[in-house]
Amino acid sequence: MESRLSVAGQAVQPILVMFPLGLFAMAVMFDMADLLGGPSILGALAYWNIVAGLVGGALATVASAADVMFARRSQDRRLGALRSLINVGVLVVFAVIAMLRVQAADRIIGGGLFTVELLALALAGFGAWFGGEIANGRPPAFARAAVGNRNY
């Protein structure tokens, strides 16, 4: 699947995905340090990393939607839609985490919410890997089976 949005010959969407991925990873690291006894400002830093990651993720979602919209083959559109659903799912989970953190003092979270945050980061990593695979033209076997040969 080739990207329609590009700057200086480089696709925009894969570049935009890396910003929220890095921000979400830093949020998890700040929360881990906070849960291990670090200063309370780490919870606030993690919260603002999540907020910035959500903004970057929204931009990446718009770029991904443009790529899916202008894909020529139906298989590319289906794989792109699957990639978009994974990435939007990650954004929804992190948005819920951010909303729950607003109520907490110093934006600190507990162990349960941290576990959800770790799972969301793992899903984000999977989404980035999956997007890279389909961008390079080699969708994984489960994705090929999912889109299959449909004649409609």
Side-chain angles (χ1 to χ4, degrees), residues 1-138:
M1 183 172 148
E2 63 183 69
S3 178
R4 296 285 175 220
L5 297 176
S6 62
V7 174
Q10 296 296 317
V12 172
Q13 194 270 342
I15 295 169
L16 289 177
V17 166
M18 291 302 121
F19 288 108
L21 191 61
L23 288 165
F24 292 151
M26 284 305 300
V28 168
M29 287 185 224
F30 284 141
D31 280 335
M32 185 183 308
D34 185 39
L35 288 173
L36 292 174
S40 62
I41 193 169
L42 293 175
L45 287 172
Y47 170 77
W48 288 109
N49 270 294
I50 290 173
V51 170
L54 289 171
V55 171
L59 293 173
T61 301
V62 169
S64 177
D67 285 347
V68 171
M69 230 178 354
F70 296 115
R72 292 189 180 126
R73 298 182 332 169
S74 62
Q75 181 181 7
D76 289 343
R77 284 191 298 273
R78 287 185 190 118
L79 288 172
L82 182 59
R83 177 190 66 191
S84 296
L85 285 174
I86 292 169
N87 292 337
V88 168
V90 169
L91 291 178
V92 167
V93 172
F94 273 106
V96 169
I97 289 170
M99 287 188 286
L100 291 173
R101 291 178 85 128
V102 168
Q103 300 170 353
D106 294 329
R107 310 289 191 252
I108 296 173
I109 62 170
L113 200 55
F114 178 71
T115 304
V116 172
E117 197 175 61
L118 276 175
L119 292 173
L121 182 63
L123 183 61
F126 173 77
W129 169 80
F130 180 68
E133 288 294 306
I134 62 174
N136 290 329
R138 357 175 254 274

